Amino acid sequence: MPASLCLIIATFLWGSSFIALKYAIAIYDPALVIFLRMLTTLLISLCLWRYVIRFEYLKGDWKYLLGMSLAEPCLYFLFEGHAMEYTSASQAGVIVSCLPIIVAFLAFFMLKEHISKAIVVGFTLCIGGSILLTLLSPSSSQAPNPLLGNFLELMAMVCAAFYTVCIKHLANRYSPLTLIALQGLSGSLFFAPFLLFIDLPSENQHDLTALMSILYLGSCVTLGGYGMYNYAISKVSVLTAAAYSNLIPIFTLILSAIILNEVLTLGQWISIFVVFIGVMISQRHQELVVDIPNSTSGENISADTNHLKSVPEASESKG
């Protein structure tokens, strides 16, 4: 399957996850929701064990495997699960727009990928737009405390960015199902102790819609979304993969309007516009042209800055 199609499917599934998560945490504690989600992923992965064991371990991989597992699902879902208690699905989707910028900075420090002034300007606008969105968002039944909720969602994006960089390092040697199974195992172990500190629902407190949402999160979103993403990121650079996350807020806004009947104010739309302007500016670093003098003919050769990254895309030729 083409990497671009995998990324589109993954972003749609992740965009829908905010809706499903909103339904689930309306009935159950976020810790219970995330534990059941991870347990569902782990059980499905065990059924596909012969695909899970396909990997080639190299010395030092444990650091990336541990960092990946701690960043996502552990801390990521902890932040996002509680973020959805305080902010709306549509606002959380907009905060996701900052992910490509954060990935760009981490890729620069960890993978030595190219970064430009456009990234810096875009990062500033995205963060500014997110802050503006938070300040202009009134409290409502869907977003009782948008300031806290949006901050927690931003922390979740930092974890997601670190996860993306780790996956790029591991994806060529580990099958997508191997990494997903590790996520299911680490997430189940991490969130299991939280069950000791929450009130578990009684038999008459269960809700079919909420339970189906958890099943959807553990199977379609985690297994399907992360499987598509982990496969695609082995074919393209982290900046290219992260750029597709710009589709997540679009899918979230559309699904929020259709399913949750959320309505955004004019100020919120302006904030969203600022965020998208920042995202668009940050992507201009891929379109910049660098003139390299030809030592033999005196002519200039145009080079896309994408080819200056340390990790080439699948369509790029080395050398």
Side-chain angles (χ1 to χ4, degrees):
M1 185 179 294
S4 58
L5 180 58
C6 290
L7 290 169
I8 291 174
I9 295 175
T11 51
F12 174 81
L13 292 172
W14 288 339
S16 67
S17 69
F18 292 102
I19 314 299
L21 192 58
K22 200 70 177 177
Y23 275 117
I25 65 173
I27 305 298
Y28 303 111
D29 187 275
L32 177 61
V33 171
I34 303 305
F35 171 75
L36 293 177
R37 173 181 180 173
M38 292 293 96
L39 185 61
T40 300
T41 300
L42 178 60
L43 293 177
I44 296 176
S45 298
L46 291 177
C47 296
L48 303 171
W49 181 251
R50 64 174 182 168
Y51 301 103
V52 171
I53 59 177
R54 295 179 178 177
F55 63 90
E56 178 187 354
Y57 179 83
L58 293 182
K59 183 179 180 181
D61 280 354
W62 68 270
K63 293 182 291 185
Y64 290 91
L65 293 170
L66 179 61
M68 176 203 77
S69 302
L70 183 61
E72 195 167 348
C74 299
L75 295 179
Y76 174 85
F77 288 135
L78 184 64
F79 284 131
E80 187 174 79
H82 287 284
M84 297 309 296
E85 287 185 299
Y86 303 108
T87 190
S88 65
S90 57
Q91 290 186 55
V94 173
I95 302 299
V96 176
S97 298
C98 298
L99 177 60
I101 321 298
I102 302 174
V103 168
F105 274 92
L106 289 181
F108 173 75
F109 289 107
M110 298 178 66
L111 301 178
K112 307 303 180 184
E113 293 202 4
H114 175 70
I115 192 171
S116 66
K117 293 181 180 179
I119 286 287
V120 178
V121 174
F123 178 82
T124 302
L125 286 176
C126 282
I127 297 299
S130 300
I131 295 174
L132 183 63
L133 173 67
T134 300
L135 295 178
L136 295 179
S137 298
S139 299
S140 64
S141 58
Q142 294 289 347
N145 190 344
L147 178 61
L148 177 59
N150 290 347
F151 173 76
L152 292 175
E153 186 62 31
L154 184 61
M155 291 298 98
M157 290 305 103
V158 174
C159 296
F162 185 78
Y163 166 86
T164 299
V165 176
C166 290
I167 286 293
K168 182 61 183 180
H169 181 81
L170 299 167
N172 290 327
R173 299 189 302 277
Y174 295 79
S175 73
L177 276 175
T178 302
L179 299 175
I180 291 173
L182 181 58
Q183 286 182 274
L185 176 61
S186 59
S188 299
L189 294 176
F190 181 82
F191 286 99
F194 285 83
L195 303 183
L196 301 175
F197 303 98
I198 63 174
D199 295 328
L200 297 178
S202 59
E203 294 183 2
N204 58 351
Q205 290 179 315
H206 290 294
D207 181 83
L208 180 61
T209 302
L211 290 174
M212 292 302 295
S213 297
I214 295 174
L215 180 62
Y216 173 77
L217 289 168
S219 57
C220 296
V221 177
T222 302
L223 197 67
Y226 283 98
M228 293 285 183
Y229 187 79
N230 293 350
Y231 168 78
I233 206 171
S234 67
K235 307 297 181 182
V236 298
S237 73
V238 289
L239 296 184
T240 301
Y244 277 82
S245 65
N246 299 328
L247 296 175
I248 296 177
I250 296 176
F251 289 135
T252 303
L253 286 170
I254 294 174
L255 293 173
S256 296
I258 296 175
I259 300 176
L260 299 180
N261 297 318
E262 290 188 5
V263 179
L264 299 181
T265 65
L266 177 60
Q268 289 175 307
W269 279 114
I270 294 175
S271 305
I272 293 171
F273 179 74
V274 172
V275 171
F276 277 106
I277 289 296
V279 170
M280 292 174 62
I281 291 177
S282 68
Q283 292 304 305
R284 286 180 59 84
H285 79 287
Q286 299 181 8
E287 303 170 1
L288 295 178
V289 174
V290 180
D291 289 331
I292 304 176
N294 189 321
S295 58
T296 58
S297 63
E299 296 177 354
N300 289 337
I301 300 175
S302 295
D304 193 311
T305 54
N306 270 345
H307 300 277
L308 300 178
K309 300 192 298 290
S310 60
V311 181
E313 296 184 14
S315 61
E316 298 173 357
S317 59
K318 295 182 180 179

